[in-house]
Amino acid sequence: MTEETKGSVTGLDVDQVTLTVIDNYLATTCREMGVAMMRTAYSPMFNESLDFSCVLFDRNGKMIAQAEFCPSQIGTIKFTVEWMIDELGTDVYEPGDVIIMNDPYRGSGHIPEHTLLKAVFHEDEIVAFVANCAHLAEPGAKAPGGLAGDATDIFQEGLRLPPLWLQRRGKDQEDVWKIIFANHRTPKVSYGDLMAMVGSLNVAERRLSSLIETYGLDTFYAATADLTRIAERRMMDEIRKIPDGEYAFSDIIEDDGVAEGSYTIRCDVVVDGDNVTCDFTGSSPQAAGPMNATYAVTASAVYNAFLHITDPTIPRNEGCYRPINIVAPPGTIVNCEFPAALVGGNTEVSPRITDIIFGALAEALPDRIPASLGGTSCCFLFGGEHPETGELYSHFHFEGIGWGGRPTKDGNSQIIVINGNCRNTPVEVFESRYPIRVESYRLLEDSGGPGRNRGGLGMERILTIEADEITVSALFNRMTVDPFGLHGGKPGRNSGIFLRRHGELEWRTFSDTFGTVSPSKFSNVVLHRGDQVRLVAPGGGGWGDPLDRDPDRVLTDVKEGLITAAAARAEYGVEVVRTNGTWQVNQTADRTTRETTKAKP
Amino acid sequence: MKGEWIEREPMYLSFDVYNCEYCGKNIPRYVWIEDIDGERRPFCTPEVADIYLRTRSRNDPNRRREDSDLGLTDQLRLIRQNCAGIESEA
C-alpha cells in the first residue's frame, strides 16, 4: 500500500473509501448468506421466521462482520466460535471442512441453535472463518420442538453436539449425520435446514475469496483490523456520552416451570468513562427449571441493549463489543452451571436482561430509553403425526408482543421480542404445514401500557386442533409480572396461554386443566381434535404520564380500536363519545378536567 | 496466592466447564486455578483471583465484601483489565 492510499484518520492503514466498500461488502455477504438459507431451507423456522444469523470472523476467530439477524445469536456466536476454535485448535481444518456445534456449555445459546463453522483458505492458508447459527425446529428433546418448559437438566433439552466434523473436504461425515437424524423426530426437515446452512457457508466462502482476489490479502487483513478499531472507538465515544455512575435495576422471572417461586435478576450498570460494566452480582441462584441463561446469553442480551441505544451506524464487529464488559457470577440465573436446564434462557431471560439494562439507564438517558417490552417469546411448541401424510412433524411457534413506549413515539405493536428480530409464521403456512386451524388473530385492545407514549399492543390468537392427537408445550413469561412503564407510564398487559376443551365454553389455564406446576411453562400435554388454544401476547409498558398524552392521539387510538372508550376515560382522562357514527372528544383538554374525568367511577 | 495455569483438555468421559469465579466467563482452554481455602477455583488470570479475594464474600461468591478496600467502579475497572477476552485495540 502506498502512502497516498493510506487513510486520513489517525492510526488507520486503509483509506476511508476502501474501508467503506469492504465494510459494506462484508455486511452484504452476511445478508446474502441469509438469503441463501431462507430460500433453500425446509422448515418455516428458517424460511418464514428467519430464526438464524450469519457472521464472518477473522483467522483468529474475532468477528469482522454481521448483518441484521437475530441479536441473541449474533451476540452468542462470538463466544461459540471462540470456543470451537479454542477447543479444536487452528491447524486442524482442511478446505471444505464444516464443523457443527450446539452445546450451550461451550458458548452456544441453547441446544436448538446449531452453529456451523468453515475455514476460508487462500493459497493454502486459513485467512478467515465463516459461520452461521440457526434454530432447528427439532433438536431431539423430550418435547417436540425442543423447548420443554419443565426440563430439569440439559439432557432433556435435546441432542448435545460438541464440535464435530459435519463435512470433511466437502464430503458428508455420514456417521455424524446418522447420529443426528436418529435423534430428531423430523430428520428430513433437519437435513434440509442443515444443508441450507452448509450452502450459506459456501456462499460466504466464495464471496470472501473474491474480495481477497480483488484487493489482496494484505488489504483485507488491514481493512478488517481498521474496521474493528473504528467500531471500538465509536462505541467508546457513545459510552462516554452516558454520565459516569453506578445505575441499578432488577426485575422478576415469575417461575421456572418446575417449582413455585420467582427469581430476581439484578444488575449494576457501571459507566466509567468510555467503558461500561454490567455486573449481575446479587441475582438469584440458578433455577431448577429451564429459565437459566448461560454467560454467552447474558452477554449477548447486554450487547443487544447497548446496540439499541447507541449509534446504529457503528460497524458491527468485535470492536463494538469490547468496551462493554459483563460480570455474571457462576451458579446464578444469568450464568448457570452444568448440567442445568437452560432452554428458556435464550427466549425469556435474554429479553428481560435487555430490559433491565434499559431500566437501569432510564434516568441517565431519559431521551433514549424505552419502557419495558412485553418481554416473552410466547413459545408454543407442538408435534405429532400428521393425519394427512402420516409423517412426524414438529414446530416451534412464537408470537410478536407489544414493545415499550419510547421517549418520542408509541411502542410498536406485535413485533417479535427484542432478542429475536424474527418473523412469525404466516397463517397460510401454518395451516398448510400443520393440523392446526387459526380461528382468529388480532391485536388486543387496551393491552399497551397507558402513557404519554403508549406501549405497543399485544395480540390474541385462537387455534383449533385438527388432528386426533397433538402434543403441545409452552414457555411463556410475563404472565403474572407486568411489563413495566417508565416516567409515569403504566404497565403493559400480561401474557397468557389458555385451553378450551372440545365442547366446553370456558377458557382455563393448563394448570387448571392438567395440573401443570406452571400455567405458562410445561411440556408434552396431549390435546385432541376440536380442542382450542388461546395465545395472548403481552403489551409494552407506557412511557410518561398518560394524562399528558395529546387527546387527539387518544381519539385516534379509540377510532382505530387500539384502546376502548372506557380506557380513554379511565387511563387518559379523555371522554370520547360516538355521535352519529363518529368518535369525538367530548371535553376540554386541560389537565384538571382530565383528572376529574379519570376519577369518575 | 497459591495457584497454577492449566490447559483444559477436551475429554470424552467427563465434561469440565471452567467459569471464571469472578466474571463468570466460560474459559475454553487456559485457566488459572487458585487454591482458596482448600478448594481449587478457576479464574481468567491470577490478577482476577487476587481481586476476587479482596472483594468477594468467601461464603457466598454472589455477594460483595462490605469491608473491601475497592469500590465497585474500581473493582470492575480491574476486572476489565484482567479478564480474558477483553483487549482493547483502539
Side-chain angles (χ1 to χ4, degrees), chain A residues 62 79 82-83 86-89 103-107 160 225 228-229 232-233 236 246 266 268 270 272 275-277 279-285 295 318 322-323 325-330 332 335-338, chain B residues 7-12 14-30 42 52 56 60-64 71-81 83-90:
Chain A
K62 301 298 181 191
F79 297 99
E82 177 186 335
W83 185 292
D86 260 7
E87 177 163 335
L88 298 176
D103 186 356
Y105 288 103
R106 287 177 164 94
R160 195 166 135 246
T228 302
R229 278 194 289 272
E232 182 175 6
R233 283 183 204 169
M236 291 165 82
E246 298 175 10
R266 178 197 156 81
D268 288 303
V270 179
D272 181 19
N275 278 265
V276 63
T277 302
D279 183 352
F280 292 88
T281 299
S283 298
S284 293
Y295 180 91
E318 175 80 17
R322 283 194 182 135
N325 312 291
I326 292 96
V327 173
T332 65
N335 190 3
C336 60
E337 293 183 309
F338 179 80
Chain B
E7 182 177 0
R8 176 187 170 277
E9 286 295 332
M11 304 293 282
Y12 293 104
S14 65
F15 179 64
D16 299 320
V17 180
Y18 295 96
N19 295 92
C20 172
E21 285 273 326
Y22 199 138
C23 78
K25 186 173 184 290
N26 292 33
I27 308 171
R29 199 155 194 117
Y30 296 100
Y52 177 91
R56 288 289 157 141
D60 183 358
N62 196 23
R63 291 181 55 196
R64 298 192 187 93
L72 177 59
T73 302
D74 289 332
Q75 289 175 40
L76 298 178
R77 187 179 294 137
L78 288 168
I79 289 295
R80 280 207 301 273
Q81 291 164 359
C83 267
I86 302 169
E87 49 184 305
S88 172
E89 289 183 13

Side-chain angles (χ1 to χ4, degrees), chain A residues 164-204:
Chain A
L164 298 170
W165 267 258
L166 196 62
Q167 291 188 338
R168 282 190 190 274
R169 290 196 159 268
K171 302 287 185 190
D172 287 347
Q173 287 293 101
E174 290 195 0
D175 291 348
V176 173
W177 289 93
K178 284 178 184 174
I179 292 170
I180 294 170
F181 295 154
N183 283 275
H184 285 198
R185 293 171 176 84
T186 54
K188 287 180 189 170
V189 175
S190 294
Y191 174 75
D193 288 351
L194 286 169
M195 286 307 289
M197 294 175 74
V198 171
S200 159
L201 297 183
N202 293 339
V203 168

Side-chain angles (χ1 to χ4, degrees), chain A residues 137-152 155-158 185 257 290 343 379-384 393-395 469-475 497 499 501 510 513-528 531 533:
Chain A
E138 174 48 52
K142 77 169 189 172
L147 277 77
D150 56 357
T152 53
F155 304 106
Q156 297 168 37
E157 297 185 332
R185 293 171 176 84
V343 76
C379 310
F380 177 61
L381 307 105
F382 53 86
Y393 63 90
S394 185
H395 185 58
E469 196 171 275
I470 184 169
T471 303
V472 306
S473 304
L475 218 162
I497 176 167
L499 173 71
R501 303 307 297 264
F510 280 73
T513 308
F514 294 103
T516 60
V517 172
S518 167
S520 57
K521 304 169 190 70
F522 52 82
S523 74
N524 290 336
V525 170
V526 177
L527 303 182
H528 300 284
D531 289 347
V533 177

